[in-house]
Amino acid sequence: GQEHILICWQEARPAMDFEQAKAMFANAQTKELTGHKKKVHSVDWNSTGKKLASCSFDQSVRVWNVDPHHTGKEQVLNGHSESVNQLCWDPSNPERLGTASEDTTARIWDTKSGKCAGTLATGGENINIAWSPDGNYVAIGTKDDVVFIYDARKLKVLRTEKYGYEVNEIGWDRNQDVFLLTTGMGAVEMLRYPDMRHLTSLQAHTANIYCIDVSPNNKYFATGAADALVTIWDLQELVCLRTIARLDWPIRTLSFSHDSQFIASASEDMIVDIAEVSSGMSVHQISCKAAMNTVAWHPKRHLLAFAGDEKDKYGDAGAIKIFGIW
């Protein structure tokens, strides 16, 4: 008999046009997660999008099971003795979380057991943490402008670099060929990975760069700075494609959506701006009651988690919001 071969493929969804995107976000809902006692510094989704982690000035780390019907019970991870400044998940393991604290340690957590799987002693106040795309390395940046690269499995230091300038957010491109540093001089330093040889320096802003993100499709990276601008760059050509100048205060945080179509940014302005990457135009603005410290898109859906300096009648509120299409 004749064999019939059926070939199935999933077509990439066509990009939404501007009006479709505006309509989608206009119908979005916001949910709130409460638990932290002080302001929240950082939020991040795990690789499956089923868990959202948050860390706070209250020294705690919380992991939330998030789904449309049950914005779930949170798990509290205690162990840090000072403010926890940033966190990120292992891209290769949805139960492995890294946290960076002012208590001179970073910690690796197993969220399945709720236990700390390892402590990394940097000897400095840790302000940034990033996990390599393959899950094998963790980078930690301190307030003293020292960057540590650790073997994430053996928890051993592989490299320590002290820079002669202010280093802020750090991270890898999605192919793990390039390591990116943002500086107090408004530059993005690009280093070859893994030997950390200097490749090039891009003058992206006129003032201190606070945040950087690489798009999931690895075509773009974006920076946010004290000059209140967001710049979007072509990662291959290393040219600035567009500048977003809608906010009035220093950009504290930004994030690309899972499909690389949208970028969210926030500052001390009382809004989170969601822009179309291809045009830089705003498709939506979310009103906030305070300055925002962190924004993070879900890895598979148009859901945006954000948190900041919100207060209630008792002081810091520590609330996390999730905005989007549930």
Side-chain angles (χ1 to χ4, degrees):
Q2 202 176 353
E3 285 183 31
H4 293 278
I5 299 167
L6 183 65
I7 300 170
C8 298
W9 69 90
Q10 191 175 9
E11 286 187 50
R13 271 191 206 159
M16 250 179 282
D17 71 27
F18 186 75
E19 292 307 322
Q20 285 173 315
K22 276 184 82 161
M24 177 181 76
F25 289 120
N27 291 319
Q29 293 176 310
T30 302
K31 299 196 177 188
E32 186 172 282
L33 304 172
T34 56
H36 283 292
K37 305 291 185 283
K38 301 273 183 190
K39 65 183 178 180
V40 175
H41 286 145
S42 179
V43 295
D44 192 32
W45 298 91
N46 74 348
S47 58
T48 62
K50 289 181 178 167
K51 290 187 174 185
L52 178 72
S54 59
C55 63
S56 164
F57 190 70
D58 70 9
Q59 304 176 13
S60 80
V61 177
R62 287 168 191 262
V63 178
W64 315 79
N65 287 310
V66 181
D67 66 56
H69 312 293
H70 175 69
T71 42
K73 184 93 177 72
E74 89 262 33
Q75 177 184 39
V76 183
L77 305 175
N78 289 314
H80 284 297
S81 57
E82 295 282 344
S83 172
V84 189
N85 289 330
Q86 200 174 42
L87 51 70
C88 64
W89 290 91
D90 177 344
S92 69
N93 182 340
E95 299 290 356
R96 215 162 134 85
L97 178 69
T99 58
S101 169
E102 282 180 26
D103 67 6
T104 75
T105 71
R107 286 175 179 249
I108 306 296
W109 305 86
D110 174 2
T111 60
K112 208 167 196 172
S113 67
K115 291 187 168 62
C116 177
T119 301
L120 313 174
T122 63
E125 291 182 32
N126 303 301
I127 53 172
N128 289 295
I129 185 166
W131 215 302
S132 66
D134 66 5
N136 289 334
Y137 307 101
V138 171
I140 296 156
T142 74
K143 221 172 241 182
D144 305 322
D145 310 312
V146 180
V147 175
F148 296 85
I149 308 280
Y150 283 86
D151 180 314
R153 308 282 172 241
K154 297 174 184 162
L155 305 182
K156 296 263 193 320
V157 182
L158 299 175
R159 187 178 280 272
T160 306
E161 297 277 350
K162 166 81 171 127
Y163 292 92
Y165 46 81
E166 184 179 325
V167 174
N168 292 314
E169 211 158 66
I170 53 179
W172 283 266
D173 77 324
R174 302 281 173 162
N175 293 341
Q176 211 168 299
D177 299 327
V178 179
F179 191 78
L180 301 151
L181 301 169
T182 61
T183 79
M185 292 103 66
V188 177
E189 300 297 337
M190 304 185 80
L191 312 175
R192 190 172 72 183
Y193 196 78
D195 65 10
M196 301 294 267
R197 190 173 67 79
H198 189 263
L199 292 173
T200 190
S201 182
L202 300 174
Q203 195 62 42
H205 295 268
T206 57
N208 201 321
I209 303 177
Y210 294 128
C211 47
I212 189 165
D213 193 29
V214 177
S215 64
N217 64 7
N218 212 45
K219 284 186 180 173
Y220 315 109
F221 71 89
T223 54
D227 57 12
L229 299 176
V230 172
T231 60
I232 301 173
W233 292 73
D234 183 308
L235 187 52
Q236 272 60 52
E237 302 296 326
L238 303 184
V239 291
C240 183
L241 299 173
R242 54 200 60 88
T243 300
I244 299 170
R246 272 184 295 279
L247 300 177
D248 295 325
W249 294 87
I251 308 298
R252 293 183 176 190
T253 176
L254 46 73
S255 175
F256 280 100
S257 61
H258 70 279
D259 53 8
S260 306
Q261 256 197 275
F262 305 108
I263 186 164
S265 57
S267 65
E268 291 171 56
D269 294 77
M270 300 297 185
I271 53 169
V272 175
D273 184 74
I274 300 174
E276 187 180 50
V277 171
S278 62
S279 68
M281 284 162 48
S282 181
V283 290
H284 196 82
Q285 292 189 332
I286 308 165
S287 295
C288 307
K289 296 194 181 90
M292 289 294 113
N293 296 323
T294 178
V295 294
W297 284 104
H298 188 281
K300 297 174 179 177
R301 296 160 63 193
H302 290 120
L303 285 176
L304 182 72
F306 58 98
D309 297 345
E310 283 196 26
K311 295 192 178 333
D312 58 21
K313 60 184 177 184
Y314 306 108
D316 283 354
I320 298 151
K321 305 271 184 22
I322 303 173
F323 166 89
I325 309 305
W326 290 82

